[in-house]
Amino acid sequence: MASLSSNWVRNDSSPRVVDFKAVRCIFESGIKLEAKPQAVAMAATLYHRFFEECNPEDYDHYLIAATCLYLAGKVEENHLKIRDIVNVFHKAIHPKLEPLDLAEEYWLLRDSIVQCELLLLRVLKFQVSVDHPHRYLLHYLKSVQDWMAPDIIAKLPLFRTCWSLLCDFYHLPSCLCYKPQHVAVAIIYLALECYGVTVPYNSDAVLQWHEVNIYVFYHNFISM
Amino acid sequence: MNTSTSTNVSSSSVSHAQQVMNKLEDFDFPYCDEVTKYEKLAKIGQGTFGEVFKAKHRQTKKVVALKKVLMENEKEGFPITALREIKILQLLNHENVVNLIEICRTKATPFNRYKATFYLVFDFCEHDLAGLLSNVNVKFSLGEIKKVMQQLLNGLYFIHSNKILHRDMKAANILITKNGVLKLADFGLARAFSISKTSQPNRYTNRVVTLWYRPPELLLGERNYGPPVDMWGAGCIMAEMWTRSPIMQGSTEQHQLTLISQLCGSISPETWPGVEKLEFYNKLDLPKGQKRKVKERLRAYVKDPYALDLLDKLLTLDPNKRIDSDNALNHDFFWTDPMPCELAKMLSQHTQSMFEYLAPPRRRVVQQPHAGQPGHQKGMQPSAADGQYHDRVF
C-alpha cells in the first residue's frame, strides 16, 4: 500500500508498542470526533483482526488504524467524515505540526483510506459484525450494583473504573480471545478487587456472583 | 503481502510504480475470490441498486445470482448501503430470506483504473413475484396465494424479530424458487432498528420504499417508524395477488396519499391519533370525508372473506393499529380451508424464469418511481388531488 507513514511515524518500535500506540490513536481520535463507544471499540477490534491475518511489517499501522475508525463508523451507523478522520489522525500523530492544507498530501491520505478500506473488508472477508462487551458490562454492573450496599456504591467510582479498564483492554490483540460476556464479568471482578470490595454474602453462596452472571446468560442462551 | 486494490502512486518514481503494478497484476490475493469463477449467463435485473446477473459456477455448475455493488461515490469508499446489506444478510439466515453465498470482486486492471468492482453472490431463484403476476398464464389458486403470503409473513416475522426493517417491500423484491420457496430479497435499503425511548425518537430517513408500496406514515414524514412500514407493503402485495398489478400507482407523494385516502378513508386524528404531529400533515392536501372502502373495493377481486379481513388489517392507516407479522400469521385466513398448499406443482408447468425485468414490455408496468427519486415519471400524468384517477387504481 502506498504509504503515508513515511512522513507520519516510523514503525521502529516492537509490534506490541506499535499496536498500543495505534489503538491509542484510535481512541483519541474517536473521542475528539465524538464517536460512539461501540464505534471506537469496533475500530480497535477491526484493527487487531486485520493484523491477526496480515504481517505487521507490511502495513502502516496508523493508516490501518485511521481506516478502521472510518469503517467502524459505517458499520456502527455512526458516520464519521473521512476529512475529519484525516485531520484528527494527523493532529494526533503530529501534535506539533500545522493542520494539513487542502493539498496533495491531504488528498493522498484521503485516497489511501478509501483504498485501504477495501483491503480491510477483503482481509476480514466482509465479516464486520461484532458483539461488544459494552452492553453486557452495563447490564451486569446494574445487577451487581443492586446487590451491594448503596453507600459503598456511592463512594466508589466503580462504573468509571470498569469503563476505563474496558477501554484499556482494547489496546492489545488479546481482546479478540474472549467472549464479550466473559470480558464484562472479568472487568467487574478486577475493578472490585482493585477497591478491595466484596460482593455481600458471596462467601456463603453456592455460586460466586460472576458465575451466576455467566450461568444466567448461558441458560438464557440455550433456551433461545 | 500486498494487495491489488492499491493504486496510490508513490511519489518516488513512476517506473517503480509501474513495477509494482506489474507485480500486482500477477498477484493472487487470498482473501476474496474473483468473480470470473462464475460465468455470466444473462442480465436479470436493473434498478437504482445496479445490475443483477444470472451466472453459473464454472466448476461446480451451481447457478447463482450476481449483484453488482455500485461504487458511485468512490470518494466515500465502500458504500454504506452495500455494507448494511452484507451485514444484514450475514445475520439473517432463514428459509424465507435470500441466501448470500459470498462476495466476489473483479481483478484490478488498467481498464478499470485499478479499481475493483464487488459482487454479492446469492443462491439463484427462478422467479420474482412481479414477473409471475404479470404473466397471465400463471394462475394462483387460493391455497397457493395463502402459501405465498404465509411465507412472506414468515420471512417478515423473522427479520423483524431480528430487529431489521426491509424498507423496500414490493412484488419485484419477492423471489420464488422453482420449488415454490419464497425469499425476501434486496436488502439494499434495509437497516437495523431499535424501539426508541420516549426521550429520544429515532431519526431514520423517510425516503425509503418504492412509492406505490410506501405506507402513509412515511409519506407524511414520520422518521421514528418501525416494522409496520413493511406490513403495509405486505398488504399491497397481498392485494396484488388478485388484482395482478400494484393497487395504488401514485405518481407523486401527494398523489399516493390521495389514492391511499380514497381506499382507506380520510387520514384524520380520529382514525389515527397523533397523525396531526407528523411533519407533512398540514403541508399536504389530504382528501376529507372519504369513507374507508378497502373491503368494498377489493371484493370485486377477492372473494374469500378471510382474505378481505386480513387485507383490511394490513392496510390500516394508523401504524400502531396495523396488524404485525405474528398476528397476521395467526389470522384465520391461513387456518381455514383451503389450507395453504405447495406452489411447486403449479410452477412446474412453467419452465421459463419469470422476472419483472424480463417480462414482455407490453405487460410491464410503467417504471416504478423508487425511493429517493420521487416526482414525475415519464408517461405518467401529473398528480391530481381531486380523485379522478379511480379507474387507474385497479
Side-chain angles (χ1 to χ4, degrees):
Chain A
M1 196 115 212
S3 179
L4 35 101
S5 70
S6 54
N7 47 3
W8 278 34
V9 163
R10 295 214 55 80
N11 301 330
D12 48 8
S13 323
S14 81
R16 277 175 86 90
V17 174
V18 174
D19 282 344
F20 188 89
K21 284 184 178 166
V23 174
R24 198 177 56 189
C25 220
I26 291 178
F27 272 87
E28 187 183 331
S29 307
I31 290 164
K32 283 181 180 164
L33 293 171
E34 294 175 354
K36 289 196 271 186
Q38 306 96 290
V40 180
M42 172 62 86
T45 309
L46 294 173
Y47 175 90
H48 291 304
R49 278 181 55 202
F50 179 83
F51 283 112
E52 215 177 30
E53 296 280 342
C54 298
N55 182 359
E57 282 165 22
D58 289 341
Y59 295 95
D60 171 8
H61 290 246
Y62 291 94
L63 173 62
I64 300 292
T67 311
C68 286
L69 187 57
Y70 183 55
L71 179 58
K74 287 187 185 175
V75 174
E76 295 287 337
E77 301 286 343
N78 179 198
H79 189 67
L80 303 170
K81 281 192 192 130
I82 199 161
R83 184 190 66 191
D84 293 341
I85 290 196
V86 169
N87 288 330
V88 167
F89 263 80
H90 187 264
K91 190 72 189 166
I93 297 163
H94 303 293
K96 294 201 182 96
L97 290 187
E98 288 296 303
L100 282 169
D101 289 330
L102 274 180
E104 198 193 347
E105 189 184 1
Y106 166 81
W107 291 110
L108 275 179
L109 290 177
R110 203 190 147 106
D111 210 38
S112 298
I113 289 180
V114 168
Q115 290 300 318
C116 189
E117 183 191 42
L118 295 181
L119 168 72
L120 211 61
L121 281 168
R122 285 162 64 170
V123 169
L124 302 178
K125 302 189 178 68
F126 290 86
Q127 304 280 347
V128 287
S129 298
V130 175
D131 192 12
H132 298 295
H134 298 61
R135 60 195 181 110
Y136 299 101
L137 180 65
L138 290 178
H139 186 72
Y140 297 163
L141 266 174
K142 284 293 275 179
S143 315
V144 171
Q145 183 192 26
D146 291 346
W147 187 237
M148 298 199 1
D151 59 315
I152 294 182
I153 289 294
K155 243 179 6 208
L156 295 178
L158 186 62
F159 279 52
R160 291 177 66 120
T161 308
C162 287
W163 198 257
S164 304
L165 288 171
L166 180 58
C167 293
D168 291 350
F169 180 65
Y170 279 102
H171 284 67
L172 290 177
S174 49
C175 68
L176 301 177
C177 305
Y178 307 96
K179 291 188 173 149
Q181 300 85 359
H182 297 181
V183 171
V185 171
I187 280 173
I188 300 174
Y189 187 80
L190 178 59
L192 288 173
E193 289 277 301
C194 288
Y195 292 114
V197 180
T198 48
V199 174
Y201 306 114
N202 209 31
S203 48
D204 304 331
V206 181
L207 282 175
Q208 297 289 293
W209 67 268
H210 50 276
E211 292 173 325
V212 175
N213 262 333
I214 294 177
Y215 184 76
V216 167
F217 166 75
Y218 276 120
H219 231 72
N220 287 337
F221 190 76
I222 288 162
S223 63
M224 232 157 62
Chain B
M1 200 192 73
N2 216 322
T3 161
S4 54
T5 56
S6 169
T7 65
N8 298 311
V9 178
S10 154
S11 52
S12 55
S13 87
V14 176
S15 68
H16 173 69
Q18 192 53 52
Q19 275 175 13
V20 174
M21 290 304 182
N22 291 342
K23 189 178 156 196
L24 290 180
E25 273 179 46
D26 303 324
F27 184 76
D28 186 28
F29 190 76
Y31 292 105
C32 185
D33 282 345
E34 263 194 73
V35 76
T36 46
K37 75 180 190 186
Y38 296 103
E39 180 188 357
K40 277 185 192 170
L41 300 174
K43 184 167 161 178
I44 52 174
Q46 166 80 61
T48 45
F49 52 84
E51 296 169 302
V52 183
F53 298 92
K54 179 182 180 179
K56 192 169 76 181
H57 194 289
R58 290 180 197 274
Q59 258 103 56
T60 66
K61 306 293 174 204
K62 184 180 166 65
V63 180
V64 297
L66 300 177
K67 179 173 169 179
K68 195 172 179 174
V69 176
L70 271 189
M71 300 280 272
E72 257 178 356
N73 203 346
E74 54 187 66
K75 281 214 161 51
E76 297 299 321
F78 198 76
I80 186 158
T81 47
L83 200 60
R84 273 187 194 146
E85 182 169 11
I86 292 168
K87 241 185 90 179
I88 287 169
L89 287 165
Q90 284 169 346
L91 170 78
L92 301 176
N93 196 350
H94 188 266
E95 156 112 277
N96 297 124
V97 174
V98 72
N99 176 41
L100 177 68
I101 303 169
E102 62 174 341
I103 294 147
C104 283
R105 42 117 197 163
T106 58
K107 218 173 166 66
T109 64
F111 301 106
N112 53 27
R113 294 181 298 137
Y114 298 100
K115 300 231 188 273
T117 325
F118 290 88
Y119 286 89
L120 310 191
V121 185
F122 295 96
D123 280 338
F124 182 72
C125 299
E126 281 72 15
H127 314 284
D128 72 39
L129 192 55
L132 288 171
L133 291 175
S134 66
N135 185 331
V136 283
N137 298 317
V138 178
K139 295 189 173 67
F140 288 96
S141 69
L142 183 56
E144 286 160 352
I145 290 178
K146 288 185 184 187
K147 188 73 183 174
V148 168
M149 285 312 296
Q150 195 176 41
Q151 294 186 75
L152 194 157
L153 291 166
N154 210 15
L156 283 179
Y157 176 75
F158 174 76
I159 70 164
H160 290 163
S161 29
N162 278 287
K163 296 272 175 282
I164 299 291
L165 299 177
H166 185 280
R167 303 202 300 181
D168 198 12
M169 291 296 290
K170 58 176 173 179
N173 285 343
I174 309 296
L175 306 182
I176 297 182
T177 70
K178 65 172 190 294
N179 299 320
V181 182
L182 177 146
K183 311 265 183 193
L184 300 181
D186 196 353
F187 286 73
L189 286 177
R191 70 161 293 155
F193 70 93
S194 57
I195 312 294
S196 75
K197 318 282 179 294
T198 38
S199 56
Q200 231 188 0
N202 294 314
R203 285 180 60 77
Y204 306 144
T205 171
N206 48 40
R207 303 186 73 81
V208 284
V209 190
T210 305
L211 185 58
W212 298 346
Y213 299 85
R214 204 178 296 166
E217 66 268 28
L218 289 183
L219 292 162
L220 290 169
E222 177 69 275
R223 300 191 64 175
N224 184 22
Y225 52 82
V229 299
D230 290 336
M231 299 311 293
W232 179 271
C236 296
I237 292 168
M238 178 169 172
E240 211 173 318
M241 295 300 298
W242 284 277
T243 62
R244 292 290 185 140
S245 63
I247 56 167
M248 290 178 282
Q249 308 186 10
S251 51
T252 60
E253 278 97 336
Q254 169 67 66
H255 184 208
Q256 190 67 28
L257 272 170
T258 306
L259 294 174
I260 290 174
S261 302
Q262 285 162 1
L263 180 66
C264 303
S266 291
I267 297 173
S268 71
E270 285 85 64
T271 52
W272 178 354
V275 67
E276 70 279 5
K277 295 194 194 91
L278 293 178
E279 194 184 343
F280 302 133
Y281 179 72
N282 289 315
K283 295 183 184 146
L284 289 167
D285 181 21
L286 299 172
K288 297 197 176 60
Q290 295 283 339
K291 278 221 291 281
R292 184 171 175 85
K293 27 194 180 297
V294 174
K295 288 187 178 179
E296 289 83 337
R297 292 267 293 282
L298 289 170
R299 193 165 285 138
Y301 301 85
V302 187
K303 303 299 173 201
D304 185 71
Y306 296 107
L308 282 173
D309 189 66
L310 179 55
L311 277 165
D312 192 46
K313 292 189 158 84
L314 286 166
L315 296 174
T316 299
L317 288 171
D318 183 348
N320 295 313
K321 295 186 201 137
R322 204 172 296 149
I323 193 169
D324 65 15
S325 46
D326 190 21
N327 285 313
L329 285 166
N330 285 329
H331 193 275
D332 288 343
F333 178 60
F334 298 110
W335 306 100
T336 45
D337 283 328
M339 289 294 279
C341 66
E342 291 303 323
L343 303 162
K345 205 171 148 219
M346 180 274 284
L347 290 171
S348 66
Q349 301 160 19
H350 307 281
T351 50
Q352 200 165 23
S353 252
M354 276 166 268
F355 293 107
E356 186 188 37
Y357 176 73
L358 300 172
R362 163 177 71 87
R363 300 224 41 98
R364 256 168 92 187
V365 285
V366 184
Q367 199 205 351
Q368 303 180 16
H370 195 277
Q373 49 163 71
H376 303 283
Q377 294 288 314
K378 259 188 245 161
M380 275 203 166
Q381 302 198 11
S383 73
D386 54 3
Q388 289 175 356
Y389 288 93
H390 275 214
D391 51 346
R392 206 165 78 218
V393 177
F394 301 155

